[in-house]
Amino acid sequence: MAIVSGGLDSTTLAYWLRRHANGLTILSVDYGQRHRKELQFARATARVLDAAHHTADLASLGALLGGSALTDTAVAVPNGHYTDASMAITVVPNRNALLLDVAVGLATVLGADTVAFGAHGGDHAVYPDCRPEFLAAYQQMVTVAGAGFLPDGFQVIAPFMAMTKTDIVALANRLAVPADSTWSCYRGGDLHCGTCGTCVERREAFALAGVADPTRYADATDAGRVG
Amino acid sequence: MAIVSGGLDSTTLAYWLRRHANGLTILSVDYGQRHRKELQFARATARVLDAAHHTADLASLGALLGGSALTDTAVAVPNGHYTDASMAITVVPNRNALLLDVAVGLATVLGADTVAFGAHGGDHAVYPDCRPEFLAAYQQMVTVAGAGFLPDGFQVIAPFMAMTKTDIVALANRLAVPADSTWSCYRGGDLHCGTCGTCVERREAFALAGVADPTRYADATDAGRVG
C-alpha cells in the first residue's frame, strides 16, 4: 500500500511500487489541506495504475489543528524555498504519524504487508517526521502497537529516504511518470503558482535533473524560482 | 491534556489530573464507535471540571477501518469477559496511536506540555497498544516526529498503566468521581447492557473494589456477569 498525495514524489512512489510489488493499493488523505485538489491527481493515478484507491477523510482535523498555512486559509502560504526556515509555518503538527497510522490500520484490515510513503532527503530540513530516525521510531512503535494483529512480515518503508528531489525527478523520468498529472503547489489554484516552497523545489529539481518540466506555472520567472 | 472517552478510566484520569496538573484540556475522539454516546459523558465531565473540551471527528475512519465490532454495526459485539480471546474483534486497528497522534498535534498547537491517556493493566491482554512497551515506543516516536515543534518538556503519560481496573474504581471512589456519569458499554444502548466485555469488566471491578456500583444494567444477573 502506498500513501499517495497526488504530488510528484508519492506518484513516482506508486509507479515504482507498481513495478516492484505484488498488487497495489493507494491511500490518500484529506486532512483539510487547501491544496486538496492534489487528491484528484491521486485518484487519477490510481486509475492509470489499476490500483484500488481509498481516501481517508480527516478534513475536520484541519480545523482542530489549525494554524498551519497548509490547512488554515487565514494563514498565508509563504513564498521561498522549501527548505527555508520560513517554511515552518507549513508544518501540520504530527502529520506523518497520523497519515501512517491510518495506512497501518487500513493495511491491517486489508491484510497488506507493506505501507510505503514518499519522504525523501529534501524533506528533512523542515519536517522532522520525514527523517530516517522518525521512520525507525515509527516502525518500532507500530510493531509494538500491532503485535498479534499486523499481517505477517509487515513493514513500513520509505524507499526514497536517501534520495534528493532531483533524484526523484530523474527516477520519475525513467519510469515515464506523467509529471503533469501530479500536483505540488501548496496554494491549490488553477495553475501551480511557481513561488511557494514546494513549487520552487519542484522547478529546481527538474532543472537540476536536466529533465524538461511540463508543469505550467503562474509565475515561471527566476524571481519566482528563487523567491 | 487528557484523552477522555467518557468511560470510567479516562474520566477518573481527568479528575486525577484536575488535582495534579495546572490547567486541563479534554480531548475526545469520535472514531465512529457505535457507543459514541460516551462522548456526551466526556463533554459533561469537561463542564463539571471546568476544562476546555475538543472533539476530533474521525467518524469517517470507522467506515474505512470497518470490521471491528466497535465501529461496524454488521459485526456483533460479543458477550464475555473483557480479557477473553473473543474480544479481539473489538480491536480497532492502531486506534491508540491514532488517538494519541491527534492529541499530540493539538497539544502542539495549544502549547500543552502533557498528553495523558487512561490505559491500564487490565487492557494489556487484548490490546497491544495499551501496554507499557507501546507507551515507551510511542514516546520515542513522537519525540523524534515533533523535534523542534513540541512544547518544552513535552511528555506522553499513562498514569494508570500499572493499575488494575479494580484499582481505578477504588481511586475513582477516593476522588468522588460520579461513576454514573461515565459510560463503558460497547453496545451503546439506553442502559449499560451488563454482558459485553467492558460491562462485565466494569461490574467485576466494582465488586472486587468493594465499592457500590451505581450503574443501571439491562442484565445484572450473574449469568450476565460471567458471560
Side-chain angles (χ1 to χ4, degrees):
Chain A
M1 175 182 305
I3 303 177
V4 176
S5 65
L8 183 61
D9 311 331
S10 59
T11 302
T12 303
L13 177 68
Y15 274 75
W16 185 84
L17 283 170
R18 191 19 116 205
R19 291 204 180 185
H20 292 90
N22 293 323
L24 177 62
T25 298
I26 286 180
L27 173 68
S28 303
V29 180
D30 181 348
Y31 59 94
Q33 62 271 52
R34 70 167 79 195
H35 58 305
R36 71 179 59 176
K37 69 180 289 180
E38 67 179 7
L39 299 172
Q40 304 163 20
F41 290 84
R43 257 192 301 278
T45 291
R47 265 198 307 275
V48 169
L49 295 180
D50 195 25
H53 185 245
H54 300 271
T55 302
D57 178 6
L58 303 183
S60 66
L61 280 188
L64 188 68
L65 305 182
S68 164
L70 296 194
T71 55
D72 187 341
T73 53
V75 179
V77 173
N79 286 334
H81 195 281
Y82 188 71
T83 56
D84 289 350
S86 62
M87 293 300 146
I89 200 167
T90 66
V91 173
V92 176
N94 215 23
R95 191 192 68 168
N96 281 355
L98 262 167
L99 303 192
L100 285 169
D101 283 341
V102 175
V104 170
L106 185 59
T108 304
V109 170
L110 298 178
D113 63 8
T114 301
V115 165
F117 78 119
H120 62 82
D123 293 325
H124 300 171
V126 180
Y127 300 102
D129 56 359
C130 290
R131 294 175 192 152
E133 53 267 37
F134 165 73
L135 179 63
Y138 187 84
Q139 289 166 330
Q140 171 65 16
M141 183 279 289
V142 83
T143 301
V144 172
F149 295 93
L150 292 171
D152 285 347
F154 183 80
Q155 53 178 353
V156 178
I157 62 173
F160 300 166
M161 187 60 95
M163 294 165 67
T164 64
K165 184 88 175 182
T166 305
D167 295 333
I168 293 175
V169 168
L171 174 62
N173 193 46
R174 289 199 299 279
L175 294 172
V177 176
D180 53 358
S181 298
T182 67
W183 186 268
S184 295
C185 177
Y186 280 159
R187 289 198 167 93
D190 289 335
L191 295 178
H192 281 75
C193 73
T195 58
C196 72
T198 180
C199 277
V200 170
E201 183 205 29
R202 180 182 173 111
R203 295 170 64 188
E204 180 182 73
F206 274 98
L208 291 173
V211 172
D213 185 350
T215 314
R216 291 178 57 210
Y217 297 99
D219 180 351
T221 63
D222 267 0
R225 193 161 74 78
V226 299
Chain B
M1 175 182 306
I3 303 177
V4 175
S5 65
L8 182 62
D9 311 331
S10 59
T11 302
T12 303
L13 177 68
Y15 275 75
W16 184 83
L17 284 170
R18 190 23 112 206
R19 289 204 181 185
H20 292 90
N22 292 323
L24 177 61
T25 298
I26 286 180
L27 173 67
S28 303
V29 180
D30 182 346
Y31 59 95
Q33 62 271 53
R34 69 167 80 194
H35 57 305
R36 72 178 60 175
K37 69 180 288 180
E38 67 179 7
L39 298 172
Q40 304 164 19
F41 289 83
R43 257 192 303 276
T45 291
R47 265 198 307 274
V48 170
L49 294 180
D50 195 24
H53 185 245
H54 300 271
T55 301
D57 178 7
L58 303 183
S60 66
L61 280 189
L64 188 69
L65 305 181
S68 163
L70 295 194
T71 56
D72 186 341
T73 52
V75 179
V77 174
N79 286 333
H81 194 281
Y82 187 71
T83 56
D84 289 350
S86 63
M87 292 300 145
I89 200 168
T90 65
V91 173
V92 177
N94 215 23
R95 190 192 68 169
N96 280 357
L98 260 168
L99 304 192
L100 285 168
D101 281 338
V102 175
V104 169
L106 185 60
T108 304
V109 170
L110 299 178
D113 63 8
T114 301
V115 165
F117 77 118
H120 62 81
D123 293 326
H124 300 172
V126 181
Y127 300 102
D129 56 0
C130 289
R131 294 176 192 150
E133 53 267 38
F134 166 73
L135 179 63
Y138 186 84
Q139 288 166 329
Q140 170 64 18
M141 184 279 290
V142 83
T143 302
V144 172
F149 294 93
L150 293 170
D152 285 347
F154 184 79
Q155 53 177 354
V156 178
I157 62 173
F160 300 165
M161 187 61 94
M163 293 165 67
T164 64
K165 185 87 173 183
T166 305
D167 295 334
I168 293 174
V169 168
L171 175 60
N173 193 46
R174 289 199 297 279
L175 294 172
V177 177
D180 53 357
S181 299
T182 68
W183 185 267
S184 296
C185 178
Y186 280 159
R187 290 199 166 92
D190 289 334
L191 297 179
H192 281 74
C193 73
T195 59
C196 73
T198 181
C199 276
V200 170
E201 184 205 28
R202 181 182 172 110
R203 294 171 65 189
E204 182 181 73
F206 274 97
L208 291 173
V211 172
D213 185 350
T215 315
R216 290 177 58 210
Y217 297 100
D219 178 352
T221 63
D222 268 0
R225 192 159 74 80
V226 299

